[in-house]
Amino acid sequence: MTNTVPHSDALMEITPRPDIVFTKGKGSWLEDSTGRAYLDMIQGWAVNCLGHCPPQISQALTEQGQRLINPSPAFFNQAMLDLAQRLCSASCFDRVFFANSGAEANEGAIKLARKWGQKHRHGAYKIITFDHSFHGRTLATMSASGKEGWDRKFAPQVEGFPKAEFNDLDSVKALLDDDTVAVMLEPVQGEGGVIPATPEFIQGLRALTKDHNILLIVDEVQSGMGRCGALFAHQLFDIAPDIMTLGKGIGGGVPLAALLSTEAVSCFEYGDQGGTYNGNPLMCAVGVAVFDALTAPEFMSTVQTRAQQLSDGLLALADKHGLEGERGLGLLRALKLGGDFGPALVDAARQRPEQGLLLNAPRPNLLRFMPALNISQEDLQLALQWLDVLISKCQR
Ligand SMILES: *Cc1c(COP(=O)(O)O)cnc(C)c1O
């Protein structure tokens, strides 16, 4: 693809980008440099949980930016303390380490599990992960991911991530050995196509890992922070994991992520873990503002109402157009197209007359929806109406 956007050849080409430069955002809407508006069902890939430029985040950035930006990770700051306390009080976890991206939080989870294995399981180090899973783009998290070929793409990579089949407990049992220290999964596989774990599977994994005295790690980088209609998706299954990672929504659009563990598993020693920006007050102040918005009375019940609206709307479209159906949890949902016209839909939606619609197709036969958690009923209805017309146009 050749871009006509000025200076775009100064950037490394890591993904095909359309010839658009975004300049403004407000709530569920984006605006480009020509003044054209787009209704956004992507929201930075499930990142902007409160939409574009929400007042809470702008205010937190301004206030904290004028007070203190970075005293160094070797000192406490108030925002870091406030956010850690909030996350622990709302979860089954006791300790938090802040990171800057989901992949970095997952690297931390892998290190913590291996450290725990060294201390308590005679050096056990293998972490069972799943086909079609996604855990990030560092060397270790690529190796942990279940994308075809990803464990060898930049060889030599990191050993010790045998792959089981998602929602198949027997496939996990078959991989267990004396070197196994943990099982790591996404409660809803996001990049893999919005595939929720079944309750029997994830509860079975909790029982299995307990029986074998190994750790259960949930990667909630995409499913966490209200995305699935509960603050953390694993809470919907009524389980208590040993380790959880958060990213994306936790910062509402700014780079913030977290690694959480129970007291029993929190075994890093001085020098094992760190990083220049970890727990910096500017990002943590935003995290506090986002957390307080997500946990305000009525917020989560409104997410559930919008999720029902989206689910009903997608099902109606599937019925009308003879598509395969829909699936997901909360406001992380997919429309199963039953044909490979996802990319054509994405392009047609972005280029539709007057106002564009931003959609994502993680697989050619699937659309993924990750709107702002506070999207209005009207905006969601508009997206579904536009989609109805677009499907008629693109379906083959
Ligand atoms: C996006 C994502 C990651 C990686 O997060 P980055 O911030 O891009 O490093 C890890 N795990 C899951 C489940 C994700 O969706």
Side-chain angles (χ1 to χ4, degrees), residues 45 100-104 106 134-137 186 188 190-191 219-223 245 247-248 257 368:
W45 262 253
N100 309 290
S101 69
E104 190 192 2
N106 283 336
F134 179 77
H135 299 296
R137 292 175 175 279
E186 300 157 83
V188 180
E191 303 307 304
D219 175 348
E220 294 234 25
V221 170
Q222 188 159 152
S223 63
T245 54
K248 298 202 165 95
R368 175 174 43 170

Side-chain angles (χ1 to χ4, degrees), residues 105-139:
N106 283 336
E107 283 273 342
I110 293 163
K111 284 168 65 176
L112 185 61
R114 288 188 175 187
K115 179 81 186 187
W116 185 86
Q118 290 165 11
K119 282 192 149 177
H120 303 290
R121 292 299 311 275
H122 312 289
Y125 67 96
K126 287 184 190 165
I127 299 175
I128 296 173
T129 58
F130 293 91
D131 283 340
H132 308 299
S133 64
F134 179 77
H135 299 296
R137 292 175 175 279
T138 60
L139 289 174

Side-chain angles (χ1 to χ4, degrees), residues 229-281:
L231 194 55
F232 309 117
H234 71 265
Q235 294 171 330
L236 296 166
F237 301 101
D238 211 16
I239 59 158
D242 302 293
I243 295 175
M244 171 170 75
T245 54
L246 296 171
K248 298 202 165 95
I250 190 177
V254 304
L256 178 65
L259 160 65
L260 296 91
S261 86
T262 59
E263 188 64 38
V265 173
S266 178
C267 61
F268 279 141
E269 294 171 57
Y270 293 149
D272 284 346
Q273 183 68 334
T276 301
Y277 295 116
N278 298 149
N280 74 82

